[in-house]
Amino acid sequence: VGIADMFAGMGNLLKVLTREIENYPHFFLDFENAQPTEGEREIWNQISAVLQDSESILADLQAYKGAGPEIRDAIQNPNDIQLQEKAWNAVCPLVVRLKRFYEFSIRLEKALQSLLESLTCPPYTPTQHLEREQALAKEFAEILHFTLRFDELKMRNPAIQNDFSYYRRTISRNRINNMHLDIENEVNNEMANRMSLFYAEATPMLKTLSNATMHFVSENKTLPIENTTDCLSTMTSVCKVMLETPEYRSRFTSEETLMFCVRVMVGVIILYDHVHPVGAFCKTSKIDMKGCIKVLKEQAPDSVEGLLNALRFTTKHLNDESTSKQIRAMLQ
């Protein structure tokens, strides 16, 4: 091999290596301390106002016990007026609580669309946006983190569906008997229909976010869809790189930030898979799926089992023919 060929070969190798690095953007995203710059402040304040309720929503959902015993007694004893009343009085405050969760999803949807607008607009690339506007990137991450936690809790709580079904059956029966109930001022028929669709989803918050992202893409016809999907794939890549690079990991001051990063990575993959025309698992995807699954499996098994299940069961394209056998096997 001549010297010139050797140099040409090295040059090609370098090109491949830099292309690999270019393909998967990497920088440190300060999830712990990112502060808004002047340019970010207006949107940041708007999103913060929504996010400040997220912890109380999760606490409220976690404490949700349902009215199972009261409903069961009422159904088994249809002529016992006292038991009917007891069940109804147990269910009504729960329905008001479910309405609060549903209304929060609408606020979250609007917040996400404002964020996407900021993080995808020209002249900057999505990578430049995320690197420059770290406080907004952090809020985007917080929305995803909340979404996965909410849906995980909702999936483990069948009482929600049961309570709401009982509420709807009882209210339509009362309508037939011309009884007007105070709760109808709070949750009227139209609201009950919308809530019903929301809670029928296995992962209602994720569905809300993917609908919001799709809506954002279709509304902004002049903005290439790549701006949005690249924003998502960049976020995934940044989380993955931070998790697998000791130098970055050592900058996290708490174990919680590590789990936050893991959860956000999974959330963005699922969102990308729902929004991108061919999804996250095919060869042309800008997400290094093998690398992401590998990073996931390196964490404590009990802390990531729910997230692996989220990839198995809430993505859209995992079972497509274009998904490699290797990726499927990794998620078995």
Side-chain angles (χ1 to χ4, degrees), residues 39-224:
E40 294 168 88
R41 190 164 299 281
E42 192 186 333
I43 297 285
W44 187 86
N45 285 340
Q46 189 190 325
I47 312 294
S48 283
V50 176
L51 281 170
Q52 69 183 4
D53 292 332
S54 63
E55 285 305 318
S56 74
I57 295 274
L58 289 172
D60 217 1
L61 176 56
Q62 196 150 18
Y64 190 101
K65 289 288 177 279
E70 292 86 347
I71 291 172
R72 202 166 43 247
D73 290 346
I75 290 170
Q76 284 167 357
N77 304 281
N79 299 322
D80 188 325
I81 299 296
Q82 248 177 331
L83 287 176
Q84 305 309 310
E85 277 184 4
K86 193 179 172 191
W88 181 247
N89 292 336
V91 162
C92 284
L94 293 172
V95 168
V96 173
R97 202 194 287 194
L98 293 176
K99 180 191 176 196
R100 179 176 172 241
F101 301 160
Y102 168 69
E103 286 177 331
F104 185 74
S105 78
I106 297 169
R107 291 171 63 206
L108 208 59
E109 192 174 352
K110 292 194 178 106
L112 180 72
Q113 289 182 329
S114 306
L115 264 182
L116 285 173
E117 219 162 283
S118 297
L119 292 172
T120 56
C121 61
Y124 302 119
T125 65
T127 305
Q128 288 167 328
H129 271 298
L130 291 169
E131 205 167 354
R132 296 165 67 100
E133 293 149 42
Q134 295 226 345
L136 293 185
K138 179 177 184 273
E139 288 193 314
F140 182 29
E142 280 173 11
I143 288 177
L144 286 157
H145 187 246
F146 164 82
T147 296
L148 266 102
R149 285 164 72 203
F150 182 95
D151 286 348
E152 223 171 287
L153 288 170
K154 187 264 173 186
M155 273 203 265
R156 287 197 235 124
N157 199 335
I160 290 174
Q161 291 279 84
N162 297 341
D163 294 347
F164 201 65
S165 304
Y166 177 79
Y167 170 76
R168 297 200 75 193
R169 283 199 309 276
T170 310
I171 212 150
S172 34
R173 199 165 57 236
N174 288 334
R175 237 183 248 118
I176 292 164
N177 300 334
N178 280 329
M179 285 166 65
H180 177 74
L181 301 159
D182 287 344
I183 185 138
E184 287 207 73
N185 303 329
E186 186 85 47
V187 180
N188 61 21
N189 203 24
E190 189 198 341
M191 172 60 85
N193 287 338
R194 294 207 306 267
M195 284 169 66
S196 189
L197 289 172
F198 177 75
Y199 287 111
E201 293 291 337
T203 51
M205 284 291 173
L206 192 69
K207 182 74 175 151
T208 300
L209 289 201
S210 42
N211 285 351
T213 311
M214 301 286 278
H215 185 68
F216 171 78
V217 168
S218 62
E219 285 290 286
N220 293 278
K221 299 225 183 318
T222 55
L223 189 76

Side-chain angles (χ1 to χ4, degrees), residues 259-284:
M259 265 323 286
F260 177 86
C261 206
V262 172
R263 212 179 247 119
V264 170
M265 178 181 80
V266 171
V268 201
I269 290 171
I270 297 169
L271 199 52
Y272 180 97
D273 193 56
H274 279 259
V275 173
H276 195 281
V278 292
F281 298 96
C282 67
K283 281 192 173 67
T284 56

Side-chain angles (χ1 to χ4, degrees), residues 1-12:
V1 181
I3 296 281
D5 289 341
M6 202 165 92
F7 275 116
M10 281 169 70
N12 287 339

